[in-house]
């Protein structure tokens, strides 16, 4: 299951309306009520109480959340970054949090890791800092080895591999 679908499923179970974004908005995602293209990010942000960032670090996503995007967010909104630290312009986020332009943030990743001890994010009452653990799935070892074994068998018998990384988009 793709990450947006997994997030949507959990949000739906909490009774939320789910909007999402992806490069190809023509392919629907189960659990997503409305899907926006990546060029419609500012329109999407205006609708959100919780903005969950779960994008890869590519040239297109570096700094995708900066002052213009934060300005589109509701003052009651929370930003949750489980993606990569460089997708958020941290100085702009800190400025917005200090000004209460958004309600808060939960940050698992940062522009500099580990997060420097002098970072104001540590002491901000509207910020939750976690130690880069959101990408650690439950029972990872038990789940990954059957996939690896299957792919080894597929490779040895000349079959197509599963979960092949598409290097074209950069992830």
């Amino acid at each position: 299951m793709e990450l947006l679908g997994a997030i949507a499923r959990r949000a739906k179970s909490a009774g939320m309306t789910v909007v999402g974004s992806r490069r190809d908005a023509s392919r629907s995602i189960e659990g997503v009520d409305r899907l926006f293209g990546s060029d419609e990010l500012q329109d999407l942000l205006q609708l959100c109480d919780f903005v969950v960032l779960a994008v890869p670090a590519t040239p297109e996503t570096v700094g995708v959340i900066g002052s213009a995007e934060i300005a589109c967010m509701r003052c009651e909104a929370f930003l949750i970054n489980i993606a990569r630290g460089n997708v958020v312009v941290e100085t702009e986020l800190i400025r917005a949090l200090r000004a209460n332009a958004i309600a808060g943030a939960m940050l698992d990743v940062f522009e500099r890791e580990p997060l420097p001890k002098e970072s104001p994010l540590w002491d901000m009452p509207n910020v939750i800092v976690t130690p880069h653990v959101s990408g650690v799935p439950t029972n990872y070892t038990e789940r990954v080895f059957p996939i690896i074994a299957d792919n080894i068998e597929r490779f040895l018998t000349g079959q197509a591999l599963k979960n092949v990384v598409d290097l074209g988009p950069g992830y």
Side-chain angles (χ1 to χ4, degrees), residues 41 45 51 53 61 63-67 69-70 73 79 87-89:
L41 179 60
L45 292 171
V51 175
L53 300 172
T61 61
V64 73
I65 300 294
S67 59
E69 291 73 25
I70 293 169
M73 294 174 63
L79 178 73
V87 303
V88 175
V89 180

Side-chain angles (χ1 to χ4, degrees), residues 5-153:
I7 294 168
R9 189 180 79 236
R10 286 170 176 82
K12 282 298 212 184
S13 72
M16 295 181 177
T17 299
V18 178
V19 295
S21 175
R22 69 177 335 168
R23 277 183 309 211
D24 180 6
S26 67
R27 294 183 332 177
S28 65
I29 299 173
E30 185 177 343
V32 176
D33 298 298
R34 185 171 173 198
L35 196 57
F36 291 77
S38 56
D39 60 335
E40 301 173 294
L41 179 60
Q42 291 188 0
D43 296 328
L44 175 145
L45 292 171
Q46 297 174 35
L47 303 174
C48 298
D49 294 320
F50 296 92
V51 175
V52 180
L53 300 172
V55 298
T58 66
E60 294 80 25
T61 61
V62 171
V64 73
I65 300 294
S67 59
E69 291 73 25
I70 293 169
C72 292
M73 294 174 63
R74 298 174 178 187
C75 62
E76 308 87 15
F78 289 84
L79 178 73
I80 301 169
N81 189 3
I82 59 171
R84 293 288 181 239
N86 66 356
V87 303
V88 175
V89 180
E90 220 164 83
T91 56
E92 298 299 328
L93 176 62
I94 290 167
R95 184 173 304 140
L97 290 164
R98 283 180 170 154
N100 293 314
I102 63 172
M106 192 291 295
L107 306 169
D108 190 54
V109 291
F110 308 92
E111 286 180 332
R112 279 188 45 211
E113 291 191 0
L115 183 63
K117 63 182 176 182
E118 64 274 5
S119 172
L121 293 169
W122 286 114
D123 298 318
M124 298 179 87
N126 54 349
V127 175
I128 297 171
V129 171
T130 58
H132 202 149
V133 294
S134 64
V136 181
T138 306
N139 303 323
Y140 177 77
T141 303
E142 293 84 8
R143 292 171 40 207
V144 75
F145 282 115
I147 296 168
I148 293 170
D150 182 45
N151 266 346
I152 291 170
E153 182 67 32

